[in-house]
Amino acid sequence: MNQRFQEFLRLANGSFNKTFNTIFEGGEAELLMENHENPLQAGVDIMVKMPGKRRQSLNLLSGGERALTCIAFIFSLLALKPTPFCLIDEIDAALDEANLGRFTGFLRKLAETIQFVVITHRQGTIEIGDNIYGVTMPEQGMSEVFSITPREAEELAG
Amino acid sequence: MNQRFQEFLRLANGSFNKTFNTIFEGGEAELLMENHENPLQAGVDIMVKMPGKRRQSLNLLSGGERALTCIAFIFSLLALKPTPFCLIDEIDAALDEANLGRFTGFLRKLAETIQFVVITHRQGTIEIGDNIYGVTMPEQGMSEVFSITPREAEELAG
Amino acid sequence: MYLKHLEMKGFKSFAKGIEIDFRPGINVIVGPNGCGKSNIADAIRWVLGEANVRNLRGQRGEDVIFTGTDKKKPLGMAWVSMTVDNQDRVISNDYSEISVARRIYRNGESEFLLNMNQVRLKDIHSLFAGTGLGKRGYSIIGQGELEQVLDAKPFERRLLMEEAA
Amino acid sequence: MYLKHLEMKGFKSFAKGIEIDFRPGINVIVGPNGCGKSNIADAIRWVLGEANVRNLRGQRGEDVIFTGTDKKKPLGMAWVSMTVDNQDRVISNDYSEISVARRIYRNGESEFLLNMNQVRLKDIHSLFAGTGLGKRGYSIIGQGELEQVLDAKPFERRLLMEEAA
Ligand SMILES: Nc1ncnc2c1ncn2[C@@H]1O[C@H](COP(=O)(O)OP(=O)(O)OP(=O)(O)O)[C@@H](O)[C@H]1O
Ligand SMILES: Nc1ncnc2c1ncn2[C@@H]1O[C@H](COP(=O)(O)OP(=O)(O)OP(=O)(O)O)[C@@H](O)[C@H]1O
Ligand SMILES: [Mg+2]
Ligand SMILES: [Mg+2]
């Protein structure tokens, strides 16, 4: 158990550092085995260094930095071991326009091998959609769904 | 203690229902004393009914409905007992454009008696600002602040 | 393998029957607050065998059945059917298309169907085992769940990663 | 009463001294992710006497002092000064303007100043008591704290409301 997981962690750490560095255009990220007297109960620690800043504890990160760090972590697992499809629900809410652009750029690359279902309010994310569905409630409390064009999506997304 | 709080709860319930109804353009909201064998330890329950939908438990609300319900609660306390200034940090992130408009409309009304300091990425909120400050990091890791026009804010907010 | 088609009726706010065709690449779902977007995510988790209704924002199993509005009465049943393309035989069986369905009644009784044959929850789990499908924090990130990996304790973080190992 | 002026140096990412003039009405603060907006909110909480550094995303008191970057060395002190207009005598004393300042050194020693006179933390708390200033969930809603009122247990919700009672 432990041997196999240690090997996987080595690969995941490499993938996480590479994905983080691409998405943040610099900086470093690491996944480390926790020091624990019982190796079977040891968990995984995360260390990050934002470009140009010092290494610091996770709770000093800003809202947007935390969100993008989590996105880099999830995307690095998907790059390592793709799943048939991935569903994400408004994970882009805290990102500013520049970080939204980095997120959508990386998402487009991953979508060459993994199908994505993306729920979003952000215009930048809607624009990279290959297939767009709108959900409305013409009668309060009852949802309806229909396929729409990017143009219509802009009005509906709100 | 209890008598005074019961009286305040009656007023807060009225203010919450009125604020909720204005912000959601319909619906109902209630603050109730919890049934507890020791009245001194009884807390406060919240019940809401979205316009056109049935009364339901709080955890079935959507992300945006939860956010706007909390905004209505906080604004109703501020309307009841104003504080010299109020600082809010990205409380508008989950709102769609229509709900953002309701939020900014109510904020403008409250700002006639209460000063607000509002941290936001949303264009609709920036537009109602009387005084706008931009924060940047020309050198990675070191913040600088300067007063800006609404036009400049649009580019910077991202 | 990819998600091809989703049909449902009576699941949460979807009182009327609806159908969605998905395509490979990026499928985007948009709409105003409270219109039912996250309910679609819940439907996909549910049909993939989500056993804990708290992960679907409910308290009892039947909470996923349409509870009615000011004008419409509650329904007695909810069902969701999902079809995945299996031409690349990610799941090694004879089918080039696999459809999974789930149904629940007001009395709490629920049933699963695999290509129209009744199966158990365990069969759904073993069908998709190893593909990562339906795993929280890896192939499904629900609203508000993004930062769980940072907030989790180190050991929980390890369990999350075991899904992808 | 309203917030007139904020000055700080060495507080979190504000290595260089900065000043902000506020006005009655709506003051908006914008900027990219990680540039220091929420650090301004933390500075206001800190100078109003926030005693628990965890509410400022830190672990020890000195975590609020600028820790340096790749190019700049850490600083040895952080200070924040806030001026409020008191012409309407919400706080009944002789001053039409009240300025509060707080300083902390690397060794953990900290001091408070009220109109340039050294005071204790208790004095700051009693000065603003009853105005609601600095109270979490009512006059200061930090990033990610909006939904606390829904997630809180009923009794915690009551304590939050007592601030406004
Ligand atoms: N069993 C049910 N029957 C009827 N309606 C339900 C049921 N369960 C949930 N709902 C309704 O679904 C709505 C929430 O939908 P959902 O969470 O999908 O919204 P959303 O589109 O994701 O919105 P947001 O953009 O705010 O996140 C709620 O208003 C709730 O009343
Ligand atoms: N003591 C300190 N010394 C130096 N930098 C610090 C210190 N404490 C926090 N920081 C830095 O401040 C940054 C976070 O700033 P802040 O949380 O204010 O960002 P923000 O503008 O609110 O961003 P967002 O839009 O993502 O919420 C972090 O990158 C962190 O490195
Ligand atoms: Mg949602
Ligand atoms: Mg912030």
Side-chain angles (χ1 to χ4, degrees), chain A residues 71-110:
Chain A
I71 289 170
F73 175 81
I74 290 160
F75 279 0
S76 71
L77 286 185
L78 288 172
L80 198 60
K81 183 157 178 254
T83 154
F85 72 84
C86 177
L87 185 144
I88 52 183
D89 192 348
E90 302 202 27
I91 70 172
D92 52 4
L95 305 181
D96 63 28
E97 285 308 320
N99 283 333
L100 188 72
R102 295 188 186 120
F103 161 68
T104 51
F106 205 90
L107 183 61
R108 230 206 285 252
K109 246 190 269 149
L110 277 181

Coordinates of all heavy atoms in Angstrom, one line a residue, chain A residues 71-110:
Chain A
I71 N -7.3 24.6 -8.4 CA -7.6 24.2 -9.8 C -6.3 23.5 -10.4 O -6.4 22.5 -11.0 CB -7.9 25.5 -10.6 CG1 -9.3 25.9 -10.3 CG2 -7.8 25.2 -12.1 CD1 -9.7 27.3 -10.8
A72 N -5.1 24.0 -10.0 CA -3.9 23.4 -10.5 C -3.8 22.0 -9.9 O -3.3 21.1 -10.6 CB -2.7 24.3 -10.1
F73 N -4.1 21.8 -8.7 CA -4.1 20.5 -8.1 C -5.0 19.5 -8.8 O -4.5 18.4 -9.2 CB -4.5 20.6 -6.6 CG -4.5 19.3 -5.9 CD1 -3.4 18.7 -5.4 CD2 -5.7 18.6 -5.7 CE1 -3.4 17.4 -4.7 CE2 -5.8 17.4 -5.0 CZ -4.6 16.8 -4.6
I74 N -6.2 19.9 -9.0 CA -7.2 19.0 -9.7 C -6.8 18.7 -11.1 O -6.8 17.6 -11.6 CB -8.6 19.6 -9.6 CG1 -9.1 19.6 -8.1 CG2 -9.6 18.9 -10.5 CD1 -10.2 20.5 -7.8
F75 N -6.4 19.8 -11.8 CA -6.0 19.6 -13.2 C -4.7 18.7 -13.3 O -4.6 17.9 -14.2 CB -5.7 20.9 -13.9 CG -6.9 21.7 -14.4 CD1 -8.2 21.1 -14.2 CD2 -6.8 22.9 -15.0 CE1 -9.3 21.8 -14.6 CE2 -8.0 23.6 -15.5 CZ -9.2 23.0 -15.3
S76 N -3.9 18.8 -12.3 CA -2.6 17.9 -12.3 C -3.0 16.5 -12.1 O -2.4 15.6 -12.8 CB -1.6 18.4 -11.3 OG -2.0 18.1 -10.0
L77 N -4.0 16.2 -11.3 CA -4.5 14.8 -11.2 C -5.1 14.3 -12.5 O -4.9 13.2 -12.9 CB -5.5 14.6 -10.0 CG -5.0 14.7 -8.6 CD1 -6.1 14.4 -7.6 CD2 -3.8 13.8 -8.3
L78 N -5.9 15.2 -13.1 CA -6.6 14.8 -14.4 C -5.6 14.6 -15.5 O -5.7 13.7 -16.3 CB -7.6 15.9 -14.8 CG -8.9 16.0 -13.9 CD1 -9.7 17.2 -14.3 CD2 -9.7 14.7 -14.1
A79 N -4.5 15.4 -15.5 CA -3.4 15.2 -16.5 C -2.7 13.9 -16.3 O -2.4 13.2 -17.3 CB -2.5 16.4 -16.4
L80 N -2.5 13.5 -15.0 CA -1.8 12.3 -14.7 C -2.7 11.0 -15.0 O -2.2 10.1 -15.6 CB -1.5 12.3 -13.2 CG -0.4 11.4 -12.7 CD1 0.9 11.7 -13.4 CD2 -0.2 11.6 -11.2
K81 N -4.0 11.1 -14.6 CA -4.8 10.0 -14.8 C -6.2 10.5 -15.3 O -7.1 10.8 -14.5 CB -5.0 9.2 -13.6 CG -5.9 7.9 -13.8 CD -5.7 6.8 -12.8 CE -6.7 5.7 -13.1 NZ -7.8 5.6 -12.2
P82 N -6.4 10.7 -16.6 CA -7.6 11.2 -17.1 C -8.8 10.4 -16.8 O -8.7 9.1 -16.6 CB -7.4 11.2 -18.7 CG -6.0 11.0 -18.9 CD -5.5 10.3 -17.7
T83 N -10.0 11.0 -16.6 CA -11.2 10.3 -16.3 C -12.1 10.5 -17.5 O -11.9 11.5 -18.2 CB -11.9 10.7 -15.0 OG1 -13.3 10.5 -15.1 CG2 -11.6 12.2 -14.7
P84 N -13.1 9.7 -17.9 CA -13.9 9.8 -19.1 C -14.5 11.2 -19.2 O -14.4 11.8 -20.3 CB -14.9 8.7 -19.0 CG -14.3 7.7 -18.2 CD -13.5 8.4 -17.2
F85 N -15.1 11.7 -18.1 CA -15.6 13.1 -18.2 C -15.4 13.7 -16.8 O -15.3 13.0 -15.8 CB -17.0 13.2 -18.7 CG -18.1 12.7 -17.8 CD1 -18.6 13.6 -16.8 CD2 -18.6 11.5 -17.9 CE1 -19.6 13.1 -16.0 CE2 -19.6 11.0 -17.1 CZ -20.1 11.9 -16.1
C86 N -15.4 15.0 -16.8 CA -15.2 15.8 -15.5 C -16.2 16.9 -15.5 O -16.4 17.6 -16.5 CB -13.8 16.4 -15.5 SG -13.5 17.4 -14.0
L87 N -16.9 17.0 -14.4 CA -18.0 18.0 -14.2 C -17.5 19.0 -13.2 O -17.1 18.7 -12.1 CB -19.3 17.3 -13.7 CG -20.5 18.2 -13.6 CD1 -21.8 17.5 -14.0 CD2 -20.7 18.8 -12.2
I88 N -17.5 20.3 -13.5 CA -17.1 21.4 -12.6 C -18.1 22.5 -12.5 O -18.7 22.9 -13.5 CB -15.7 22.0 -13.0 CG1 -15.7 22.5 -14.5 CG2 -14.6 21.0 -12.8 CD1 -14.4 23.0 -15.0
D89 N -18.5 22.8 -11.2 CA -19.6 23.8 -11.0 C -19.1 25.1 -10.4 O -18.8 25.1 -9.2 CB -20.6 23.1 -10.0 CG -21.9 23.8 -9.9 OD1 -22.0 25.0 -10.4 OD2 -22.9 23.2 -9.4
E90 N -19.0 26.1 -11.2 CA -18.6 27.5 -10.8 C -17.3 27.5 -10.0 O -17.2 28.2 -9.0 CB -19.7 28.1 -10.0 CG -21.0 28.2 -10.8 CD -22.0 29.2 -10.3 OE1 -21.6 30.2 -9.8 OE2 -23.2 29.0 -10.6
I91 N -16.3 26.8 -10.5 CA -15.0 26.9 -9.9 C -14.2 28.1 -10.3 O -13.1 28.4 -9.7 CB -14.1 25.6 -10.1 CG1 -13.6 25.5 -11.6 CG2 -14.9 24.4 -9.7 CD1 -12.6 24.4 -11.7
D92 N -14.7 28.9 -11.2 CA -14.0 30.1 -11.7 C -14.5 31.4 -11.0 O -14.1 32.5 -11.4 CB -14.1 30.2 -13.2 CG -15.6 30.1 -13.7 OD1 -16.5 30.1 -12.8 OD2 -15.8 30.1 -14.9
A93 N -15.4 31.3 -10.0 CA -16.0 32.5 -9.5 C -15.0 33.5 -8.9 O -15.2 34.7 -9.0 CB -17.0 32.0 -8.4
A94 N -13.9 33.0 -8.2 CA -13.1 34.0 -7.5 C -11.9 34.5 -8.4 O -11.2 35.4 -7.9 CB -12.5 33.3 -6.3
L95 N -11.8 34.1 -9.6 CA -10.7 34.5 -10.4 C -10.9 35.8 -11.1 O -12.0 36.2 -11.6 CB -10.5 33.4 -11.5 CG -10.3 32.0 -11.1 CD1 -10.1 31.1 -12.3 CD2 -9.1 31.8 -10.1
D96 N -9.8 36.6 -11.2 CA -9.8 37.9 -11.9 C -9.7 37.6 -13.4 O -9.4 36.4 -13.8 CB -8.8 38.9 -11.4 CG -7.4 38.4 -11.6 OD1 -7.1 37.6 -12.6 OD2 -6.5 38.8 -10.8
E97 N -9.8 38.6 -14.3 CA -9.8 38.3 -15.7 C -8.5 37.6 -16.2 O -8.5 36.7 -17.0 CB -10.0 39.6 -16.5 CG -11.4 40.1 -16.5 CD -12.5 39.1 -16.9 OE1 -12.2 38.3 -17.9 OE2 -13.5 39.1 -16.2
A98 N -7.3 38.0 -15.6 CA -6.1 37.5 -16.1 C -6.0 36.0 -15.7 O -5.7 35.1 -16.5 CB -4.9 38.2 -15.4
N99 N -6.4 35.7 -14.4 CA -6.3 34.3 -14.0 C -7.4 33.4 -14.7 O -7.2 32.2 -14.9 CB -6.5 34.2 -12.5 CG -5.2 34.5 -11.8 OD1 -4.1 34.4 -12.3 ND2 -5.3 35.0 -10.5
L100 N -8.5 34.1 -15.0 CA -9.6 33.4 -15.8 C -9.0 32.9 -17.1 O -9.3 31.8 -17.6 CB -10.8 34.3 -16.0 CG -12.0 33.6 -16.6 CD1 -12.7 32.7 -15.6 CD2 -13.1 34.6 -17.0
G101 N -8.2 33.8 -17.8 CA -7.6 33.5 -19.0 C -6.6 32.3 -18.9 O -6.6 31.4 -19.8
R102 N -5.9 32.3 -17.8 CA -5.0 31.1 -17.6 C -5.7 29.8 -17.4 O -5.4 28.8 -17.9 CB -4.1 31.4 -16.4 CG -3.2 32.6 -16.6 CD -2.2 32.8 -15.5 NE -1.4 34.0 -15.7 CZ -1.4 35.0 -14.8 NH1 -2.1 34.9 -13.7 NH2 -0.7 36.1 -15.1
F103 N -6.8 29.9 -16.6 CA -7.7 28.8 -16.4 C -8.3 28.2 -17.6 O -8.2 27.0 -17.9 CB -8.8 29.2 -15.4 CG -10.0 28.3 -15.3 CD1 -9.9 27.0 -14.8 CD2 -11.2 28.8 -15.8 CE1 -11.0 26.2 -14.8 CE2 -12.3 27.9 -15.7 CZ -12.2 26.7 -15.2
T104 N -8.9 29.1 -18.5 CA -9.5 28.6 -19.7 C -8.5 28.1 -20.7 O -8.8 27.1 -21.4 CB -10.4 29.7 -20.3 OG1 -9.5 30.9 -20.5 CG2 -11.6 30.1 -19.5
G105 N -7.3 28.7 -20.7 CA -6.2 28.2 -21.6 C -5.9 26.7 -21.3 O -5.8 25.9 -22.1
F106 N -5.7 26.4 -20.0 CA -5.3 25.1 -19.5 C -6.5 24.1 -19.7 O -6.3 23.0 -20.1 CB -4.9 25.1 -18.1 CG -3.9 24.0 -17.8 CD1 -2.6 24.1 -17.9 CD2 -4.5 22.8 -17.3 CE1 -1.7 23.1 -17.6 CE2 -3.6 21.7 -17.1 CZ -2.2 21.9 -17.2
L107 N -7.7 24.6 -19.5 CA -8.9 23.8 -19.6 C -9.0 23.3 -21.1 O -9.3 22.1 -21.4 CB -10.1 24.6 -19.2 CG -11.5 23.9 -19.2 CD1 -11.5 22.7 -18.2 CD2 -12.6 24.9 -18.8
R108 N -8.8 24.2 -22.0 CA -8.9 23.9 -23.4 C -7.9 22.8 -23.8 O -8.3 21.8 -24.5 CB -8.6 25.1 -24.2 CG -9.7 25.4 -25.3 CD -9.1 26.2 -26.4 NE -8.9 27.6 -26.0 CZ -9.6 28.6 -26.5 NH1 -10.6 28.3 -27.3 NH2 -9.4 29.8 -26.1
K109 N -6.7 22.8 -23.2 CA -5.7 21.8 -23.5 C -6.2 20.4 -23.0 O -6.1 19.4 -23.7 CB -4.4 22.2 -22.8 CG -3.3 22.5 -23.9 CD -1.9 22.7 -23.2 CE -1.7 24.1 -22.8 NZ -0.9 24.3 -21.6
L110 N -6.6 20.4 -21.7 CA -7.1 19.2 -21.1 C -8.3 18.6 -21.9 O -8.4 17.4 -22.0 CB -7.5 19.4 -19.7 CG -6.4 19.3 -18.6 CD1 -7.1 19.6 -17.2 CD2 -5.6 18.0 -18.6

